[in-house]
């Protein structure tokens, strides 16, 4: 290994990982314990958990079932951990990740409360020079951001925002000690997946809750339930089959098998099918209904209409129900379907007001609240549930520069582009776990992470084993992968939506589809073939 380094005070490591969520933890385990490498991990939080550390807002819960949303790499771990609910709440997932860190003795190699300030590829040494906000310098052969896809806050800008004198919260950076809203007038901006979890919980506590909604959402019930120990044991008894079915599925969870075209069934048959999936809960409706739901507008509208009917049945005031119903033309499922528990019924409460800010836009903030084009709203506390600068936000914050000092921002000026979601041309030995143009968020995340971490560890073993210095995506491979990802996405209705999958939620962000939509199973075959073909599409030196 090349130990040359221009900054003698740097700590020399084989790999530097950023982040200690699911991805960082498993990457550290593989590189340190399987490959025997010297690894440093940098984490900005004071503990492990990543997304599940930061998102401890009221109601935070996973919408993938617990027995799937967990690591599969250790059969012992799978058997030891007992899940108490079908869909685990944030605190249970955090406890699980803390347990993982302890069980595999990971924390001793994680530097907490520390941020990467810059990461620059040094062509003279073929190493990454990384600096942190605590003044440390690292020299690493491999640089592995494991920073999550949804970790950089999107806080919209409003006129006189800073004049508001009350408390302000962002769901993705919730105070560890929690917030007591008892007796408070609370406002929330946003009605996406996060807000749909927060709103029912805050409404139960607050004196009054005002919800500022720009776009209504097609949410479906989560149908969470408590798991008995016997049920947990029963699921674990079949873990091998469960995991095999997941790996061989489109989304990393064996959802119900899709029927053919929605338009081939009668209205009665369709409604019966939708009702069954609605009762099944979670993403069954989204991923498991008909093959053409996400491809054909007429098919899509049948399901959109089914959900509108459900909303109207659940919300007592017809005017409020209409505000909550996404209008015709807003396709279902082209944004990630939020899963809800009592969300729509929350609007039947006397202490909840829904404000349509598409009709009457937010004009300005004041010291006591905000003013829309219609009226002034007063509140004591404001919650932003306004989402994330997905995929690229957290990478850009680290000031990453590749060959020739090229900033990643410049390389991605027209939108993120990668080869396989793992590597960017001009950024040798840098691997993005669940990066742009990989299945990532449209595959069961812990398994998507395992798939990537294992591929990266194998790749590093290959490079080190042959005494090579670098591996780097070829520019043409990047072009081809971007084109393939686009072609697959363009066949669906998804790119038309103003979603974070397209970067469309961030003003000025280039619109590029950021997820590989060919399915995790197909993707896994592709990356395994690339590895088997001696890393075809990469340049090795
Ligand atoms: P999001 O889906 O991007 O929703 C953000 C919300 O804020 C939307 O309602 C959006 O309105 C609104 N908003 C953004 N900018 C605004 C502005 N300038 N003015 C007014 N409203 C504005 O973010 P999210 O709800 O945090 O969810 C992001 C993702 O996190 C989800 O899709 C999901 O993948 C993940 N998540 C998962 C879980 C889970 O596992 N259970 C839970 C929560 C989140 P528009 O729609 O009009 O843009």
């Amino acid at each position: 290994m090349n130990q040359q380094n221009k900054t003698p005070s740097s700590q020399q490591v084989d790999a530097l990982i950023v982040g200690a969520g699911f991805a960082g933890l498993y990457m550290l385990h593989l590189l340190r314990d399987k490959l025997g490498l010297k690894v440093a991990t940098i984490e900005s939080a004071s503990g492990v958990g990543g997304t599940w550390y930061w998102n401890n807002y009221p109601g935070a819960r996973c919408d993938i079932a617990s027995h799937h949303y967990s690591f599969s790499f250790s059969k012992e771990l799978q058997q030891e951990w007992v899940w108490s609910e079908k869909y685990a709440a944030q605190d249970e997932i955090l406890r699980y990740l803390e347990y993982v860190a302890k069980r595999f003795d990971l924390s001793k190699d994680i530097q907490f409360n520390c941020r990467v300030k810059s990461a620059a590829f040094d062509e003279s040494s073929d190493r990454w020079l990384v600096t942190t906000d605590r003044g440390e310098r690292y020299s690493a052969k491999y640089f592995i951001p494991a920073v999550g896809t949804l970790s950089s806050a999107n806080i919209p800008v409003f006129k006189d925002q800073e004049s508001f004198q009350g408390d302000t919260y962002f769901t993705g950076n919730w105070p560890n000690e929690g917030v007591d809203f008892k007796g408070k007038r609370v406002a929330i901006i946003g009605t996406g997946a996060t807000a749909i979890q927060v709103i029912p919980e805050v409404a139960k506590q607050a004196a009054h809750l005002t919800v500022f909604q720009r776009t209504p959402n097609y949410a479906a019930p989560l149908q969470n339930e408590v798991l008995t120990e016997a049920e947990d044991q029963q699921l674990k008894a079949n873990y091998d089959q469960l995991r095999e079915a997941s790996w061989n599925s489109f989304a990393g969870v064996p959802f119900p098998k899709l029927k053919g075209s929605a338009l081939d069934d009668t209205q009665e048959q369709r409604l019966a099918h939708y009702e069954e999936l609605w009762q099944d809960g979670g993403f069954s409706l989204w991923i498991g209904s008909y093959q053409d739901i996400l491809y054909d507008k007429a098919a899509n509208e049948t399901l959109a209409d089914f959900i509108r009917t459900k909303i109207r049945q659940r919300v007592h005031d017809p005017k409020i129900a209409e505000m909550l119903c996404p209008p015709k033309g807003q396709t279902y499922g082209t944004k990630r379907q939020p899963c809800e528990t009592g969300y729509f019924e929350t609007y039947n409460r006397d202490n909840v007001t829904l404000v349509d800010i598409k009709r009457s836009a937010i004009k300005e903030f004041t010291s006591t609240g905000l003013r829309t084009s219609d009226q002034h709203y007063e509140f004591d506390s404001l919650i932003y549930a306004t989402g994330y600068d997905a995929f690229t936000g957290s990478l850009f914050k680290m000031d990453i520069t590749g060959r020739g000092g090229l900033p990643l921002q410049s390389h991605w000026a027209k939108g993120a582009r990668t080869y396989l979601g793992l590597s960017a041309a001009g950024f040798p030995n840098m691997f993005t776990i669940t990066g742009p143009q990989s299945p990532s968020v449209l595959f069961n995340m812990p398994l998507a992470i395992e798939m990537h971490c294992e591929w990266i560890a194998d790749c590093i073993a290959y490079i080190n084993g042959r005494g090579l210095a670098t591996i780097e995506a070829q520019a043409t491979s990047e072009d081809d992968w971007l084109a393939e990802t686009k072609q697959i996405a363009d066949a669906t209705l998804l790119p038309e939506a103003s979603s974070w999958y397209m970067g469309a939620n961030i003003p000025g962000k280039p619109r590029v589809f950021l997820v590989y939509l060919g399915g995790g199973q197909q993707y896994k075959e592709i990356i395994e073939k690339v590895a088997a073909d001696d890393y075809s599409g990469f340049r090795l030196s």
Side-chain angles (χ1 to χ4, degrees):
M1 192 171 301
N2 185 351
Q3 290 294 335
Q4 274 181 8
N5 180 19
K6 283 186 171 165
T7 51
S9 59
S10 307
Q11 296 180 49
Q12 302 285 319
V13 291
D14 296 312
L16 187 130
I17 298 167
V18 192
F22 269 96
L25 291 177
Y26 187 43
M27 196 73 257
L28 170 60
H29 172 57
L30 281 178
L31 297 184
R32 189 193 68 183
D33 303 331
K34 295 272 152 63
L35 300 191
L37 300 183
K38 186 167 180 200
V39 186
T41 302
I42 307 291
E43 165 60 58
S44 62
S46 61
V48 301
T51 268
W52 298 105
Y53 175 96
W54 295 108
N55 281 271
N56 60 343
Y57 58 81
R61 182 177 294 285
C62 188
D63 48 21
I64 298 284
S66 313
H67 288 79
H68 292 289
Y69 195 88
S70 48
F71 283 124
S72 75
F73 71 85
S74 162
K75 288 193 178 182
E76 296 76 21
L77 171 66
Q78 278 190 162
Q79 291 300 328
E80 284 158 17
W81 187 261
V82 179
W83 292 107
S84 69
E85 291 181 87
K86 182 170 180 190
Y87 296 95
Q90 170 271 336
D91 60 330
E92 189 167 10
I93 302 175
L94 182 59
R95 269 188 280 118
Y96 166 77
L97 289 171
E98 287 167 351
Y99 176 78
V100 170
K102 199 164 174 211
R103 192 187 192 288
F104 296 97
D105 198 15
L106 298 171
S107 293
K108 69 175 186 214
D109 288 308
I110 303 171
Q111 173 144 11
F112 294 104
N113 301 308
C114 181
R115 269 182 191 281
V116 167
K117 257 177 67 186
S118 67
F121 184 71
D122 173 31
E123 291 182 78
S124 66
S125 63
D126 282 336
R127 290 177 75 83
W128 282 90
L129 305 178
V130 179
T131 64
T132 74
D133 61 358
R134 289 165 63 160
E136 294 112 337
R137 305 169 72 86
Y138 289 88
S139 163
K141 181 169 178 181
Y142 301 100
F143 174 58
I144 310 177
V147 289
T149 47
L150 295 158
S151 45
S152 183
N154 168 40
I155 308 271
V157 177
F158 297 103
K159 184 169 178 272
D160 295 337
Q161 203 163 12
E162 63 295 336
S163 63
F164 177 60
Q165 297 296 307
D167 303 320
T168 302
Y169 304 96
F170 174 65
T171 49
N173 187 6
W174 201 257
N176 270 332
E177 63 282 8
V179 182
D180 185 4
F181 288 118
K182 226 175 289 146
K184 296 259 165 90
R185 297 164 303 166
V186 183
I188 182 164
I189 300 180
T191 49
T194 299
I196 282 172
Q197 292 186 325
V198 177
I199 287 167
E201 295 307 314
V202 174
K204 285 179 207 161
Q205 262 191 37
H208 195 89
L209 175 65
T210 307
V211 179
F212 293 98
Q213 169 188 275
R214 191 165 65 177
T215 312
N217 249 309
Y218 293 105
L222 185 64
Q223 313 285 23
N224 184 35
E225 52 197 45
V226 169
L227 286 179
T228 62
E229 220 175 309
E231 286 165 332
D232 175 71
Q233 289 298 328
Q234 199 187 346
L235 283 159
K236 285 174 177 170
N238 297 309
Y239 235 139
D240 285 351
Q241 291 102 301
L242 208 64
R243 293 299 194 180
E244 198 185 328
S246 298
W247 284 116
N248 293 324
S249 69
F250 180 90
V253 175
F255 288 111
K257 196 169 174 326
L258 288 161
K259 286 179 81 178
S261 168
L263 304 174
D264 288 346
D265 271 359
T266 63
Q267 170 78 341
E268 207 180 0
Q269 289 167 327
R270 271 196 303 265
L271 292 182
H273 187 42
Y274 292 150
E275 184 61 35
E276 196 180 321
L277 297 168
W278 179 268
Q279 296 305 335
D280 198 34
F283 288 144
S284 292
L285 201 58
W286 190 33
I287 311 283
S289 59
Y290 290 99
Q291 275 169 6
D292 50 359
I293 289 296
L294 298 177
Y295 289 84
D296 181 286
K297 282 191 178 160
N300 189 284
E301 176 56 23
T302 65
L303 182 40
D305 201 48
F306 170 83
I307 299 183
R308 282 186 217 113
T309 304
K310 288 286 188 191
I311 296 171
R312 289 177 187 127
Q313 285 166 356
R314 291 170 61 182
V315 179
H316 298 160
D317 182 333
K319 271 197 201 134
I320 297 173
E322 284 321 299
M323 284 164 77
L324 289 165
C325 282
K328 251 191 172 157
Q330 184 181 325
T331 45
Y332 159 79
T334 50
K335 286 182 174 178
R336 196 172 189 267
Q337 176 211 277
C339 296
E340 54 85 28
T341 305
Y343 174 66
F344 293 110
E345 286 77 6
T346 300
Y347 294 95
N348 296 333
R349 298 176 65 107
D350 291 339
N351 69 333
V352 176
T353 304
L354 179 64
V355 181
D356 178 353
I357 51 170
K358 202 166 247 169
R359 202 180 56 78
S360 46
I362 295 174
K363 290 291 174 200
E364 61 183 359
F365 275 56
T366 64
S367 60
T368 55
L370 65 78
R371 197 182 321 279
T372 67
S373 48
D374 274 359
Q375 72 178 82
H376 185 254
Y377 294 88
E378 288 203 350
F379 40 85
D380 308 304
S381 309
L382 171 64
I383 302 171
Y384 288 99
T386 41
Y388 299 89
D389 184 355
F391 289 95
T392 55
S394 296
L395 291 171
F396 288 169
K397 278 186 188 161
M398 286 191 289
D399 187 18
I400 299 171
T401 50
R403 282 198 192 281
L406 183 74
L408 188 63
Q409 278 97 321
S410 303
H411 183 54
W412 286 357
K414 290 186 182 152
R417 44 190 301 119
T418 68
Y419 179 38
L420 308 173
L422 279 157
S423 172
F427 296 80
N429 293 0
M430 176 175 105
F431 299 103
T432 46
I433 303 177
T434 62
Q437 287 111 29
S438 73
S440 62
V441 289
L442 286 174
F443 198 70
N444 174 17
M445 261 300 192
L447 297 196
I449 283 165
E450 285 186 341
M451 195 195 301
H452 266 186
C453 290
E454 287 166 16
W455 190 95
I456 292 166
D458 288 347
C459 175
I460 287 177
Y462 180 102
I463 299 297
N464 287 357
R466 282 163 181 73
L468 296 168
T470 59
I471 178 165
E472 179 178 359
Q474 291 176 19
T476 50
S477 312
E478 210 179 58
D479 292 343
D480 294 347
W481 185 250
L482 192 68
E484 189 174 337
T485 308
K486 183 175 182 325
Q487 193 187 11
I488 297 170
D490 283 350
T492 74
L493 301 171
L494 272 72
E496 287 180 28
S498 292
S499 70
W500 55 264
Y501 296 147
M502 273 301 275
N505 63 326
I506 303 294
K509 187 166 173 171
R511 293 198 177 201
V512 167
F513 204 76
L514 293 163
V515 186
Y516 175 79
L517 272 182
Q521 189 185 9
Q522 180 173 308
Y523 174 81
K524 192 162 182 281
E525 284 167 17
I526 293 170
I527 61 171
E528 283 173 359
K529 180 154 188 339
V530 165
D533 291 346
D534 294 313
Y535 297 92
S536 50
F538 287 92
R539 186 180 307 110
L540 279 59
S541 68

